[in-house]
Every structure is written in C-alpha cells, then in structure tokens.
C-alpha cells in the first residue's frame, strides 16, 4: 500500500465532508496501525488534530505510549502541539507530504494568538514576551504532586 497516497486520500475525503485539510496515517511495518483526519471542525475540539487523534488511537491499539517502531505520515509539517506529541511518542520517522509554505496560499488558520507564518517565532520567545498572556502564580502545594509521584514511582 502507498501510505502517502492513503494520507492524501484521507485528507481529501475530510475536506469533501466539511473538515479541514489534514490527515495522519501511522504505520508499523507494512500495516496501518491507526489513521485519522483532522476533526476540529466536526467536534469543536481545537486539539482534534489528525496527528493527535491518530497517535491516541495507535498508542491505545498497541498498548504503549512509545511508537518507536512506527512511521507517521502527515499531510503537512506539524503545528507545535502536534510536533510536541510526535516527540513524546517517538516514532521511527515522520514523513510530511507538504510544507506550511507550500499550502499557505490556499489555507489560513486564523486564531487570536496563532498565525501559521508567525507562530514558531512566537513560540520561541520567552513566556513574558509572547502574545498569549502567561502569568506564573506560585503555589506551595504544586510541587507536592511531583514529590508524591516520585514516592509512588521511584526514580524511573
């Protein structure tokens, strides 16, 4: 099976059904483990990106949070949220079929603090300089959660 072609077909079907133009196919060996289009428009869930949904499904199916023996096919280079998820699940490799620069003339994701052409620069700024207001509110009990985790789980 051509996994790149499957990714494109899944994204195209999603567009035809009123969804956004993104899809992900996760493969182990010669088998598709999980796949998903972007479901943000259909679910009103801003985290329902194709990568996130496919990673969740693959990890559930395989019973692990590590996809080290899988390849992940994505239609476009990932947003920061999805890039973070990809780093966390650690696939063998990620294959993206187009770039933000290539699709920018055809698709715009306009959010209050997020534009595709400026977000990576925004993300790299120190927290105090970002457009998204971020305030640290120290709480003495917060660190206790981590101490408890260490007590229950050791050094891992």
């Amino acid at each position: 099976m051509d996994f790149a072609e499957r990714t494109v077909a899944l994204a195209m079907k999603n567009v035809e059904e009123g969804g956004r133009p993104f899809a992900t196919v996760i493969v182990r060996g010669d088998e598709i483990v999980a796949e998903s289009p972007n479901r943000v428009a259909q679910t009103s869930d801003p985290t329902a990106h194709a990568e996130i949904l496919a990673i969740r499904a693959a990890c559930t199916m395989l019973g692990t949070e590590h996809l080290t023996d899988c390849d992940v096919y994505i239609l476009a280079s990932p947003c920061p949220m999805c890039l973070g998820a990809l780093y966390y699940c650690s696939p063998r490799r990620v294959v993206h079929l187009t770039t933000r620069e290539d699709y920018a003339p055809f698709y715009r994701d306009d959010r209050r603090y997020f534009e595709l052409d400026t977000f990576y620069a925004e993300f790299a700024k120190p927290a105090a300089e970002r457009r998204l207001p971020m305030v640290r509110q120290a709480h003495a009990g917060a660190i206790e959660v981590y101490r408890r985790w260490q007590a229950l789980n050791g050094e891992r």
Side-chain angles (χ1 to χ4, degrees):
M1 173 179 268
D2 184 334
F3 301 118
E5 187 62 36
R6 175 66 189 148
T7 306
V8 170
L10 191 60
M12 185 62 79
K13 181 177 187 283
N14 198 47
V15 167
E16 295 295 335
E17 295 174 350
R20 300 220 171 115
F22 303 100
T24 298
V25 174
I26 300 179
V27 177
R28 184 167 69 173
D30 292 331
E31 290 185 39
I32 294 176
V33 175
E35 62 182 22
S36 182
N38 178 295
R39 293 281 187 212
V40 171
Q42 297 93 322
T43 63
S44 300
D45 176 356
T47 68
H49 288 209
E51 296 93 330
I52 301 297
L53 297 175
I55 289 168
R56 286 177 184 161
C59 289
T60 298
M61 163 97 116
L62 298 174
T64 180
E65 63 191 79
H66 305 284
L67 301 178
T68 56
D69 59 349
C70 295
D71 294 333
V72 179
Y73 289 79
I74 57 179
L75 195 69
S77 44
C79 76
M81 176 180 68
C82 294
L83 183 60
L86 289 163
Y87 269 88
Y88 265 96
C89 72
S90 304
R92 190 172 70 91
R93 68 179 181 154
V94 176
V95 179
H96 61 94
L97 307 178
T98 189
T99 66
R100 289 185 313 280
E101 294 78 16
D102 290 341
Y103 73 73
F106 312 105
Y107 179 81
R108 181 168 175 82
D109 196 351
D110 53 352
R111 304 290 174 155
R112 182 173 181 188
Y113 303 113
F114 176 84
E115 296 90 23
L116 288 171
D117 55 347
T118 63
F119 191 78
Y120 281 94
E122 179 74 13
F123 195 69
K125 291 177 186 176
E129 295 176 21
R130 293 180 187 151
R131 292 171 54 200
L132 175 66
M134 299 181 79
V135 178
R136 181 174 186 267
Q137 181 178 329
H139 187 290
I143 199 68
E144 294 308 316
V145 175
Y146 298 96
R147 286 189 178 122
R148 182 63 178 148
W149 184 90
Q150 184 182 41
L152 293 173
N153 294 284
E155 290 296 321
R156 276 199 202 187

